Amino acid sequence: MNCRGVGGWLRSALSFVALAAVTAMAHAEPIGDRLAQAREEGVVVVYAAADLDVVRPVVEDFEALHPGVRVEYHDMHSAELYARVVDEARRGVVGADVVWSSAMDLQVKLVNDGHAQPHRSAETAALPRWAVWKDEAFGTTYEPAAIVYNKRLLAEADVPDSHAGLIRLLDRAPAQLRGRVATYDPERSGLGLLLHTQDAQANPIVFWQLVRGMGQNGLEQHAVSADMLDRVAAGKLVLAYNVLGSYAHRRARNDPALGVALPRDYTLVLSRVAFIARGARHPAAARLWLDHLLSTRGQALLAANLGLLPVRTDAGTAGADSAAALLHQNLQHAFRPIRIGSGLLAYQDQAKKDAFLRQWDAATRPVTE
C-alpha cells in the first residue's frame, strides 16, 4: 500500500457514507414514548471532545428530528472532560447526560469507575462486538492516527511511509526539521497519552527510538489537533506525528498545503467512545442522542461533516461493506484498531502512567551541547 495515496481512497470511503446519508435522510426515526419523555425533559447535556463547529450539523439534525429536545453541547479537551466528570461526581453534581470523547482509555476508566449506566437498543445491537463494552461504553467512529506534513516543505519522495522511515528522515535532515516537528503532549492531552502508550505497546523499541529522534530535533508538544494542523499548514512545522486522522483529512480536503500519510508498518485506529452518565438528569433524551449517533443516519452525518469513518458495517451503500471496511482493506496488515475494554486501563494506573511520562520527558528533552 502506498500510504501517500490515502487521500484518494479515503475520499472514496467517505463518498460511500455521503450516499448513505442521502438514503438515511429519507427515513425519519420512529417517534414513540421515549420522545414524549425526552420532550418533557426538554434538553440533553453533552460533554464532548469534538469541536461544536464541526459537529453542529449532527446537533441540528437531532433537534430537527426530535422537536422540543434541545442539545446543550459542551466542547472541551479530552483531559479536561475527564477531570470535569470526576470532579463533579466528587461534589455530588451530575452535569452531563452523555460523555463523548476520543480518549478511549479515559472513557473506559470512567465507565469502569461507575460513571456510566447500561443502554440497550436496536442501534447498539447493530454495532460490531468490539465497539461495545459492558453495554455501557460504545464506539461511534473509526479514526486512524496519521502523519500530517506540509507538501511545500517536504518532497513527495521524502514523505515517511513507516515509523522507521520517519526515524530515517529525522536522522537525515536534522537542519530541515529542527524545531519543526510536533505531536500531542501526553501530559496535557488525554488523546495524546492514549496514542503514545498504544504506540509504545505496539513496537516499544521503534517507538522510543522515534521519540528520542523527535526530541533531539526540538519537538513541539500540543494539547489539541487544531494547533498542530494550523502550524503545519502555515509552514511553521514540516510535519506532525500521530495526529487524529479525521481532523487531518478534513483540513487537507480544503488546504492544498496539507498532506496526510498512514504508516504502512502499522497504523493505530481509535474510536470515539460515548456513554450515558449514571445519574443523567435527562435519561430519555440521553438515549435518543446516543442512538442518533449510532444510527446509520447519524453515522452518515458524522462522516460527511467530520470525516469520521462509521463503525457500523451497514452504514455504507449497497455493494460496499463500509468505509471502515475499506480502511481495513487498504491498510491490510497495518490496520491496528484499539479495542474498547479493560486493556485500556493499564496506563490509568498512576504509577505506570507516571513512569511513562518520566520516560517520555527524558526522551523528548533536547540534547544540549
Side-chain angles (χ1 to χ4, degrees):
M1 180 197 71
N2 182 346
C3 73
R4 294 186 289 274
V6 62
W9 67 259
L10 195 49
R11 282 192 295 273
S12 298
L14 292 174
S15 71
F16 288 158
V17 185
L19 289 172
V22 174
T23 302
M25 296 301 175
H27 299 87
E29 294 179 353
I31 298 176
D33 293 341
R34 194 166 60 179
L35 177 56
Q37 294 171 13
R39 280 176 171 166
E40 289 183 9
E41 294 168 355
V43 64
V44 55
V45 180
V46 179
Y47 286 4
D51 295 342
L52 176 57
D53 288 343
V54 178
V55 181
R56 195 179 305 278
V58 183
V59 172
E60 292 175 348
D61 186 64
F62 173 85
E63 292 179 339
L65 279 177
H66 308 99
V69 185
R70 177 176 58 85
V71 178
E72 183 181 310
Y73 192 91
H74 298 260
D75 172 22
M76 59 194 86
H77 303 161
S78 54
E80 177 190 2
L81 183 153
Y82 172 82
R84 182 165 174 178
V85 172
V86 171
D87 178 65
E88 288 179 342
R90 180 184 57 79
R91 293 186 289 111
V93 174
V94 180
D97 296 311
V98 177
V99 182
W100 187 31
S101 172
S102 54
M104 298 173 67
D105 49 352
L106 294 180
Q107 290 290 87
V108 166
K109 179 166 174 53
L110 288 173
V111 171
N112 191 66
D113 290 349
H115 294 278
Q117 61 174 279
H119 174 57
R120 301 175 186 86
S121 69
E123 307 300 351
T124 64
L127 294 175
R129 292 182 63 184
W130 68 263
V132 180
W133 188 53
K134 297 173 62 174
D135 286 323
E136 295 180 357
F138 304 95
T140 63
T141 61
Y142 257 136
E143 301 178 59
I147 298 170
V148 183
Y149 60 96
N150 186 299
K151 292 180 179 179
R152 301 186 179 107
L153 299 176
L154 195 62
E156 180 76 6
D158 293 332
V159 177
D161 62 356
S162 66
H163 294 81
L166 180 51
I167 292 170
R168 288 193 296 270
L169 178 65
L170 291 166
D171 289 341
R172 187 174 69 247
Q176 179 188 5
L177 299 177
R178 181 79 61 193
R180 304 181 80 183
V181 176
T183 192
Y184 295 107
D185 180 345
E187 191 160 10
R188 293 184 295 146
S189 168
L191 173 59
L193 180 65
L194 169 68
L195 290 174
H196 297 329
T197 53
Q198 288 291 316
D199 237 348
Q201 293 178 75
N203 195 332
I205 295 175
V206 169
F207 172 72
W208 287 113
Q209 185 179 352
L210 173 57
V211 173
R212 286 190 295 271
M214 292 191 295
Q216 289 168 8
N217 280 274
L219 178 67
E220 280 193 9
Q221 300 186 52
H222 294 271
V224 296
S225 306
D227 291 347
M228 288 187 282
L229 293 172
D230 287 345
R231 290 180 63 75
V232 174
K236 295 177 181 178
L237 293 171
V238 174
L239 63 84
Y241 173 71
N242 255 1
V243 180
L244 202 56
S246 54
Y247 290 145
H249 174 70
R250 184 172 181 270
R251 283 286 297 270
R253 280 186 299 181
N254 301 310
D255 191 334
L258 287 178
V260 182
L262 302 182
R264 61 173 171 77
D265 51 343
Y266 69 89
T267 292
L268 296 174
V269 182
L270 61 83
S271 178
R272 288 175 193 261
V273 175
F275 66 82
I276 298 174
R278 183 185 183 112
R281 291 176 297 162
H282 313 103
R287 284 168 168 73
L288 282 182
W289 170 259
L290 181 55
D291 279 350
H292 186 63
L293 288 181
L294 299 177
S295 68
T296 54
R297 179 185 183 113
Q299 295 266 287
L301 283 167
L302 287 172
N305 295 284
L306 192 52
L308 301 176
L309 300 177
V311 296
R312 286 186 60 155
T313 57
D314 57 352
T317 59
D321 290 334
S322 69
L326 188 58
L327 173 67
H328 195 172
Q329 176 185 337
N330 279 269
L331 286 175
Q332 297 180 17
H333 69 278
F335 185 81
R336 194 69 60 87
I338 303 172
R339 299 185 65 87
I340 301 172
S342 56
L344 289 170
L345 296 173
Y347 283 93
Q348 292 308 309
D349 174 79
Q350 194 61 48
K352 192 165 186 177
K353 177 180 176 180
D354 289 346
F356 177 87
L357 291 175
R358 284 195 300 271
Q359 188 173 359
W360 174 272
D361 183 63
T364 56
R365 195 176 300 128
V367 176
T368 57
E369 297 296 337

